[in-house]
Amino acid sequence: MKKLLTNHWFITFITLTAATILAFVFFYLVPQNSANIALLYILALLVVTLRTTGYRYGIFAALFSVICINFLFTYPYFHLNFTLTGYPITFIGMLAITLITATTAARLKKQAAIIAEREKTIKEAEREKIRANLLRAVSHDLRTPLTSIIGASSSFLEGEDYLSEEEKRELITNINNDSNWLLNMVENLLSVTRIQEDGQKVKKSPEVVEEVVSEAAGRLKKRLPDAQFNIHVPLEFLMVPMDAILIEQVLINLLENAVIHSGSDRPAELGITENEETIIFEIKDYGRGLDDSQLDNLFLGTYSASETSDGHKGMGIGLSICRTIVEAHGGQISARNHEHGAVFTFTLPKT
């Protein structure tokens, strides 16, 4: 509090000093036009009132301004003469300006504080909504693979002496696939945690789009060696500010959905285009498409296709995380059906 008061007095002193220096310049350059001097002090008065809190600084500035005009710029110079015609009116006018400006500024600051608090509440509510959606999606999406892992491992342990080598290998393969899927889910959750810890903001740096896409494709191929997809990148060199790790996660999630959940053997396609303001990423599959009745909830973490090619893994939480990451970058994400499947599109601003 004491520091704030000192800062306000400092602003008042600096503003009035600057006004007085400019007044001397005007006085010696244009001595016949003393109205400019009064305007300078009125301007200083407005600055002090707007940049400080409370009435004391404005009242002091009004008194200081009237005294300076009387003492420095009114004949006889360097003498105070409170009997000059119009002097009380000048003082009352400046005081009125101070009070009106201070009241208006206080009201505007109060309104700004209310608006800021309201926006903070809205952001907090949105953050809680995202958290609730993620928790609901986690509980839904993680339950089935965990059950599958427990069931497969129990079957292996209890029937090890009775299972053929082919059956054992199938159980181990299922455990390995589900474990890798859970690992991917953990990576997704860590990505969202990074964003939420930074207050829904990401640290962006210029990245080459082709390199980010190539890295995402390589990571997906390691997880799903049989995944088939085609990538179409413009010949032009594209560099966009982004968090490369997070955008790679978005690309992996969307490509994985296109490969696994589309129910099609035809390769998915990732196309990249640009316009004046954004880079556009489009992931298209040629499968069963999306449930039209759930399109509105697609990116809320609650979507679950009625049938999936793997039989148990939903894609709701992955899409919710994609939305969080893209919007934190200032972009937009959407989905729609086309004649032969589904299309997911997201954009990133060029600046």
Side-chain angles (χ1 to χ4, degrees), residues 67 127 153 322 325 333 338:
I67 291 172
R127 190 176 302 176
S153 59
C322 289
I325 293 174
I333 187 168
H338 67 98

Side-chain angles (χ1 to χ4, degrees), residues 40-341:
L40 282 172
Y41 279 105
I42 290 174
L43 179 61
L45 202 60
L46 292 173
V47 172
V48 169
T49 307
L50 292 174
R51 299 293 296 176
T52 59
T53 304
Y55 295 99
R56 71 182 78 175
Y57 310 101
I59 292 174
F60 172 80
L63 289 170
F64 181 88
S65 299
V66 172
I67 291 172
C68 280
I69 292 172
N70 184 288
F71 184 76
L72 299 175
F73 306 107
T74 304
Y75 184 85
Y77 305 117
F78 303 106
H79 289 85
L80 288 175
N81 184 359
F82 297 106
T83 63
L84 291 173
T85 303
Y87 180 80
I89 296 177
T90 302
F91 173 71
I92 293 172
M94 286 195 166
L95 189 59
I97 291 173
T98 297
L99 295 177
I100 293 172
T101 307
T103 302
T104 304
R107 188 174 300 169
L108 290 174
K109 289 175 183 177
K110 185 177 180 180
Q111 291 177 350
I114 293 173
I115 293 172
E117 184 64 27
R118 187 178 301 168
E119 289 179 349
K120 181 180 178 182
T121 302
I122 293 173
K123 287 182 180 179
E124 187 63 31
E126 183 67 22
R127 190 176 302 176
E128 288 299 324
K129 183 178 179 182
I130 292 174
R131 187 179 292 113
N133 286 336
L134 286 176
L135 288 175
R136 183 164 56 250
V138 166
S139 63
H140 179 271
D141 280 7
L142 299 190
R143 186 186 299 116
T144 304
L146 284 172
T147 302
S148 176
I149 291 173
I150 293 172
S153 59
S154 297
S155 298
F156 184 90
L157 292 173
E158 294 173 2
E160 183 178 3
D161 296 333
Y162 309 101
L163 296 172
S164 65
E165 290 299 320
E166 183 178 350
E167 291 172 328
K168 290 178 182 179
R169 184 173 183 82
E170 182 180 357
L171 289 174
I172 295 298
T173 299
N174 290 337
I175 292 173
N176 181 67
N177 291 337
D178 286 328
S179 298
N180 284 328
W181 187 86
L182 289 174
L183 179 61
N184 178 45
M185 190 60 61
V186 171
E187 291 177 354
N188 274 303
L189 294 174
L190 289 175
S191 298
V192 174
T193 301
R194 285 179 57 193
I195 296 175
Q196 291 183 339
E197 286 178 350
D198 293 335
Q200 297 291 343
K201 295 182 179 179
V202 292
K203 296 179 180 178
K204 297 190 287 187
S205 59
E207 301 287 348
V208 179
V209 172
E210 187 175 357
E211 293 181 359
V212 174
V213 171
S214 176
E215 183 66 24
R219 287 173 58 189
L220 182 60
K221 273 291 189 179
K222 289 181 181 179
R223 184 181 305 151
L224 302 172
D226 297 330
Q228 298 295 322
F229 49 87
N230 299 319
I231 299 175
H232 308 285
V233 181
L235 297 177
E236 297 83 0
F237 181 79
L238 299 179
M239 181 170 283
V240 183
M242 68 173 83
D243 184 316
I245 295 177
L246 293 179
I247 296 302
E248 285 173 17
Q249 195 64 49
V250 172
L251 291 169
I252 290 172
N253 287 351
L254 296 179
L255 284 171
E256 183 178 11
N257 285 339
V259 170
I260 293 179
H261 299 293
S262 66
S264 172
D265 295 330
R266 183 174 172 180
E269 294 183 0
L270 167 59
I272 301 168
T273 56
E274 65 172 324
N275 57 32
E276 292 182 0
E277 298 180 352
T278 61
I279 301 295
I280 304 165
F281 298 79
E282 185 176 85
I283 296 87
K284 180 186 294 186
D285 66 54
Y286 297 89
R288 61 173 60 89
L290 301 167
D291 187 345
D292 290 331
S293 65
Q294 297 192 52
L295 281 178
D296 292 340
N297 300 322
L298 194 60
F299 297 100
L300 299 180
T302 58
Y303 182 87
S304 179
S306 58
E307 297 181 22
T308 54
S309 59
D310 57 12
H312 64 267
K313 300 183 185 72
M315 56 178 165
I317 188 172
L319 295 179
S320 175
I321 288 167
C322 289
R323 175 194 176 192
T324 301
I325 293 174
V326 170
E327 290 184 351
H329 279 78
Q332 296 180 337
I333 187 168
S334 61
R336 59 181 174 84
N337 286 315
H338 67 98
E339 186 177 355
H340 302 292

